[in-house]
């Protein structure tokens, strides 16, 4: 088997990509809509202006006091574990209203034995633009397990978010004690995922019983004690292996029993699938029937799409949905995944990122349970062909009312220039602005040196750490310093006229995180939809709040929330530039305006 089959694809493959502009009859079928009176697919056009507002992202990690450096654990043996890198998370662990940062780190291998195993890091937000490393005081400590992914959720509904870290041969659940410390409860909970290479994980209430369940995906069957040698047999050309060298592994679904324990219901739910070589997932209601579904991006295997039947089981819609393969029928690298309403029509589109000489894919939601590959038509397929993409998220970076896209890049092979001089190991990020008519414009070159500096990017988490309404992001780079990018949009004259609304949901009958809730916002001629989703990006955890960009609208006419419990609430005449806290059954508990914190200079 040629170990460079995917990683070392050449220009011949790139030139052979066949572009098929597929068509689909919208709403050819009929599905049960969870959101009453789901709108017709009417497009809310804005002027087709390719020039983004002058929003700048600036790396303020070091000034903010974040000095985390991911340990790659590199060795001459090129163990597969070394190159995958790790996730990152936003978590308000002390519930003071400000996001704290959590970074996943690697671990020991047969060829890497430091005196102190690599440790994850928890940074407390000081609410003045700086962070303090509180890892030691939090009692979070790694024992040498090689960790990869992170999922954040309040599984016991006690008001404090907990942490789940996926790892090689073992994963861990850390219970938030509410006093700044965490306790390892993995054994009691029964969610160790032992023997597997855990990657992406996500919390969601798949049976809508008011308790968060856990979905854990796994990568390949790999034995670090008996590594496979890959690459060419000459000095400097040894390479990390191709996924085809290994068998896949099924995901695992853990049902929350409500007493601190979980039951593995993977088989009962119809989710056993050993073709999985998974690195990313999105847990969201993709067909608007009120039940959260599962979408998984797989490496060199088809993507998985499982629709929730509403009775504790799922049905495999991978082949019938059109979201399992590229437009030309091929499985691709599948590194990251996200789902968002990019057309403001109530339908979640899917995005999957891939490696160099493959196209990052955008799948249009047709509204009938099927998807169409819109990669070329959307403008997202033309600019990233030489990059390898990991973390990716949709969010409205300029608050104009349309969700844009951020992609984090970095190659797998540290010696890739030996094979392809035009490809680099460290790569620049990509930023795309949503034009509002189904297309995106590459806005990368509007950014400064901080944003465009090449890195070996992996995990990405988007969140508003300074509560100024302009979404920022964290990046965990493989073997490099972490990055915190502050969105300076509120300081830019061309963008500051745009308004926003943040929404934090607190469930009572529903799970406390409000995970699975649907939201519909109306402000003048703007209608925008979103959901509280699980997973997203590459093995990372996002800001749990939902943010809406409002453009120039100075008032929100209405905000409707459909809770997982079935309760529908409508709030009217809401202030903009505020973060609303909505408690299920009681309406707005708090509408707080933040002046924004100054941040490091």
């Amino acid at each position: 088997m040629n170990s460079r089959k995917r990683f070392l694809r050449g220009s011949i493959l790139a030139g052979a990509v066949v572009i098929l502009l597929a068509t689909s009859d919208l709403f050819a079928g009929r599905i049960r809509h969870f959101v009453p009176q789901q709108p017709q697919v009417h497009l809310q056009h804005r002027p087709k202006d390719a020039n983004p507002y002058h929003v700048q992202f600036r790396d303020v990690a070091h000034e903010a006091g974040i000095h985390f450096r991911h340990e790659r654990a590199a060795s001459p043996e090129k163990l597969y574990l070394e190159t995958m890198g790790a996730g990152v998370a936003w978590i308000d662990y002390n519930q003071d209203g400000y996001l704290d940062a959590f970074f996943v780190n690697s671990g020991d291998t047969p060829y890497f034995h430091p005196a102190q195993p690599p440790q994850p890091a928890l940074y407390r937000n000081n609410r003045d633009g700086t962070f303090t490393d509180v890892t030691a005081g939090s009692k979070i400590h790694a024992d040498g397990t090689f960790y990869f992914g992170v999922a954040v959720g309040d599984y016991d509904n006690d008001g404090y978010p907990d942490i789940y870290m996926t790892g090689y041969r073992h994963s861990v659940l850390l219970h938030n004690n509410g006093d700044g410390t965490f306790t390892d409860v993995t054994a009691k909970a029964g969610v160790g995922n032992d023997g597997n290479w855990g990657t992406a994980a996500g919390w969601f209430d798949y049976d809508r019983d008011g308790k968060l369940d856990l979905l854990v995906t796994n990568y390949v069957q790999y034995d670090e004690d008996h590594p496979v040698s890959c690459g060419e047999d000459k000095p400097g050309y040894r390479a990390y292996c191709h996924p085809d060298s290994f068998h896949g592994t099924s995901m695992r679904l853990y049902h929350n029993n409500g007493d601190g324990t979980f039951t593995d219901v993977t088989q009962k739910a119809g989710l056993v699938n050993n073709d999985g070589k998974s690195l990313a997932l999105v847990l969201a209601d993709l067909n608007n029937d009120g039940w959260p579904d599962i979408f998984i991006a797989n490496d060199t295997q088809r993507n998985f799409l499982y629709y929730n039947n509403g009775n504790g089981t799922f049905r495999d819609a991978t082949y019938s949905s059109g979201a399992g393969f590229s437009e030309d029928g091929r499985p691709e690298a599948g590194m990251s995944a996200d789902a968002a309403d990019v057309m403001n029509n109530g339908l979640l589109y899917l995005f999957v990122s891939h490696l160099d000489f493959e196209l990052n894919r955008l799948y249009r939601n047709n509204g009938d349970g099927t998807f169409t590959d819109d990669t070329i038509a959307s403008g997202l397929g033309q600019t990233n062909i030489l990059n390898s993409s990991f973390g990716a998220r949709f969010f409205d970076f300029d608050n104009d009312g349309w969700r844009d896209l951020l992609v984090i890049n970095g190659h797998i092979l540290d010696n890739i220039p030996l094979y392809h001089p035009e490809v680099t190991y460290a790569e620049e990020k990509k930023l795309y602005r949503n034009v509002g008519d189904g297309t995106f414009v590459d806005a990368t070159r509007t950014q400064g040196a901080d944003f465009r500096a090449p890195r070996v990017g992996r995990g990405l988490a988007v969140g508003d750490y300074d509560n100024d309404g302009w979404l920022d992001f964290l990046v965990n780079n493989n073997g490099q310093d972490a990055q915190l990018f502050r969105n300076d949009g509120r300081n830019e004259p061309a963008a500051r006229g745009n308004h926003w609304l943040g929404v934090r949901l607190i469930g009572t009958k529903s799970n406390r995180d409000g995970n699975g809730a649907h939201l519909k916002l109306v402000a003048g001629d703007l209608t925008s939809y979103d959901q509280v989703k699980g997973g997203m990006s590459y093995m990372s955890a996002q800001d749990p709040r939902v943010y809406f960009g409002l453009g120039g609208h100075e008032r929100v006419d209405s905000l409707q929330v459909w809770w997982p419990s079935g309760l529908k609430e409508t709030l009217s005449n809401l202030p903009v530039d505020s973060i609303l806290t909505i408690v299920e059954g009681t309406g707005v508990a708090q509408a707080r305006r933040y002046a924004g914190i100054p941040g490091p200079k």
Side-chain angles (χ1 to χ4, degrees):
M1 176 73 64
N2 186 346
S3 67
R4 296 178 289 135
K5 179 179 177 183
R6 172 187 54 150
F7 299 132
L8 310 177
R9 295 184 193 274
S11 301
I12 295 177
L13 176 58
V17 173
V18 179
I19 300 173
L20 300 175
L21 298 178
T23 61
S24 177
D25 294 329
L26 296 180
F27 303 105
R30 185 177 298 274
I31 60 177
R32 294 177 295 129
H33 289 299
F34 176 56
V35 180
Q37 301 299 316
Q38 184 72 20
Q40 299 295 316
V41 182
H42 59 282
L43 305 184
Q44 302 176 43
H45 290 288
R46 71 176 179 195
K48 194 170 183 178
D49 176 14
N51 298 312
Y53 294 115
H54 299 289
V55 172
Q56 289 291 306
F57 288 100
R58 188 163 64 91
D59 185 358
V60 297
H62 284 245
E63 301 98 304
I66 293 178
H67 303 290
F68 177 79
R69 184 178 181 86
H70 177 262
E71 175 54 65
R72 182 181 159 201
S75 74
E77 295 300 315
K78 299 280 187 180
L79 297 183
Y80 207 179
L81 307 174
E82 302 166 5
T83 194
M84 299 311 292
V88 63
W90 288 116
I91 173 174
D92 184 5
Y93 79 95
N94 55 6
Q95 290 295 281
D96 65 351
Y98 286 82
L99 294 175
D100 311 295
F102 182 79
F103 297 90
V104 181
N105 213 341
S106 65
D108 294 344
T109 75
Y111 307 95
F112 180 78
H113 282 292
Q116 170 73 5
Q119 296 297 312
L122 176 64
Y123 284 86
R124 184 189 66 228
N125 189 330
N126 298 324
R127 298 184 289 182
D128 62 358
T130 67
F131 292 77
T132 298
D133 187 339
V134 295
T135 312
S138 73
K139 299 184 179 179
I140 297 175
H141 180 78
D143 60 0
T145 297
F146 207 116
Y147 289 108
F148 290 92
V150 57
V152 173
D154 183 4
Y155 76 88
D156 56 357
N157 290 331
D158 67 352
Y160 289 91
D162 310 295
I163 296 173
Y164 186 80
M165 276 198 301
T166 60
Y168 174 68
R169 291 179 174 167
H170 181 68
S171 298
V172 63
L173 176 60
L174 302 173
H175 177 260
N176 188 334
N177 300 317
D179 60 0
T181 68
F182 290 77
T183 299
D184 184 343
V185 296
T186 312
K188 175 187 175 183
V191 292
N193 193 36
D194 294 321
N196 294 314
W197 179 349
T199 49
W203 298 98
F204 72 143
D205 186 1
Y206 77 92
D207 54 0
R208 289 169 45 190
D209 66 352
K211 301 180 293 291
L212 288 180
D213 309 297
L214 178 65
L215 185 73
V216 183
T217 66
N218 295 298
Y219 198 40
V220 299
Q221 295 181 29
Y222 180 75
D223 184 358
E224 67 176 0
D225 298 314
H226 301 88
V228 178
S229 179
C230 299
E232 295 185 20
D233 188 18
K234 56 183 179 180
Y237 280 75
R238 181 153 184 179
Y240 293 105
C241 291
H242 183 272
D244 282 352
S245 300
F246 313 98
H247 295 294
T249 317
S250 179
M251 71 189 92
R252 284 190 175 183
L253 176 62
Y254 294 98
H255 177 263
N256 189 335
N257 299 322
D259 60 358
T261 69
F262 293 75
T263 299
D264 186 339
V265 295
T266 312
Q267 185 169 1
K268 180 180 178 181
L271 293 174
V272 174
N273 191 333
N274 289 317
D275 287 340
K277 297 180 180 181
S278 310
L279 291 172
L281 81 162
V282 182
L283 305 171
D285 183 3
L286 298 174
N287 59 0
N288 283 338
D289 68 351
W291 296 90
D293 309 305
I294 298 170
F295 180 79
I296 296 174
N298 287 304
D299 194 353
T300 69
Q301 298 289 327
R302 65 192 181 280
N303 306 318
F304 295 158
L305 175 57
Y306 283 87
Y307 282 129
N308 193 329
N309 293 321
N311 60 2
T313 68
F314 293 79
R315 64 187 183 277
D316 188 348
T318 298
Y319 294 98
S320 61
S321 68
F325 301 88
S326 67
E327 190 173 36
D328 51 348
R330 293 189 303 112
E332 295 177 301
M335 314 305 285
S336 186
D338 198 9
D341 179 4
V342 301
M343 294 296 292
N344 288 343
N345 62 6
L347 302 174
L348 296 183
Y349 284 35
L350 292 168
F351 180 81
V352 183
S353 67
H354 299 293
L355 294 187
D356 56 323
F357 302 110
E358 295 178 340
L359 303 182
N360 292 337
R361 299 286 170 182
L362 179 69
Y363 295 94
R364 183 182 75 235
N365 190 328
N366 298 320
D368 60 357
T370 70
F371 292 80
T372 297
D373 188 338
D374 247 11
T375 302
I376 299 301
S378 69
L380 291 175
Q382 293 87 327
T383 65
N384 212 60
I385 191 69
L386 293 180
N387 297 129
S388 296
S389 302
F390 282 81
R393 279 299 318 281
F394 286 108
F395 69 106
D396 188 355
F397 74 80
D398 54 6
N399 281 333
D400 66 349
W402 300 88
R403 293 174 181 87
D404 311 296
L405 178 65
L406 170 66
V407 179
I408 305 301
N409 295 312
H411 208 275
I412 289 289
L413 300 182
D414 52 6
N415 56 358
I416 185 61
L418 293 177
Y419 297 97
H420 292 294
E422 73 276 23
V423 179
T424 60
Y425 181 45
E427 300 172 340
E428 72 175 12
K429 302 164 183 63
K430 291 288 186 179
L431 183 66
Y432 299 92
R433 185 174 185 244
N434 186 340
V435 175
D437 62 354
T439 64
F440 291 77
V441 173
D442 187 347
T444 306
R445 296 194 178 278
T446 67
Q447 297 300 300
D450 285 356
F451 183 93
R452 299 185 61 195
R455 293 289 187 274
V456 188
R458 295 294 187 260
L460 164 68
V462 173
D464 182 14
Y465 82 90
D466 50 6
N467 288 342
D468 68 350
W470 296 83
L471 291 170
D472 318 291
F473 64 93
L474 285 167
V475 180
N476 203 350
N477 296 304
N478 192 43
Q480 298 176 332
D481 290 344
Q483 295 175 289
L484 167 63
F485 281 89
R486 176 187 171 96
N487 185 335
D488 283 334
R490 70 185 173 102
N491 298 319
E492 297 294 335
R496 66 172 60 143
N498 285 344
H499 299 286
W500 56 274
L501 183 73
V503 181
R504 179 194 178 203
L505 299 181
I506 298 179
T508 53
K509 186 176 180 181
S510 303
N511 65 84
R512 199 176 193 282
D513 288 356
N515 190 297
H518 289 233
L519 299 92
K520 176 185 178 182
L521 176 145
V522 177
D525 62 354
L526 172 69
T527 302
S528 186
Y529 303 82
D530 211 339
Q531 299 178 24
V532 182
K533 302 181 284 284
M536 298 175 285
S537 187
Y538 171 78
M539 300 195 294
S540 298
Q542 313 301 314
D543 189 334
R545 301 168 296 188
V546 175
Y547 275 74
F548 295 92
L550 303 176
H553 297 92
E554 298 180 347
R555 203 74 183 169
V556 172
D557 298 318
S558 67
L559 177 68
Q560 295 178 327
V561 180
W562 287 268
W563 295 88
S565 66
L567 176 68
K568 174 187 174 183
E569 293 187 275
T570 301
L571 298 84
S572 302
N573 197 26
L574 300 173
V576 300
D577 302 335
S578 303
I579 298 176
L580 306 182
T581 298
I582 304 175
V583 178
E584 183 179 12
T586 64
V588 176
Q590 181 186 64
R592 184 172 178 182
R593 287 179 178 268
Y594 291 85
I597 54 182
K601 301 298 183 183

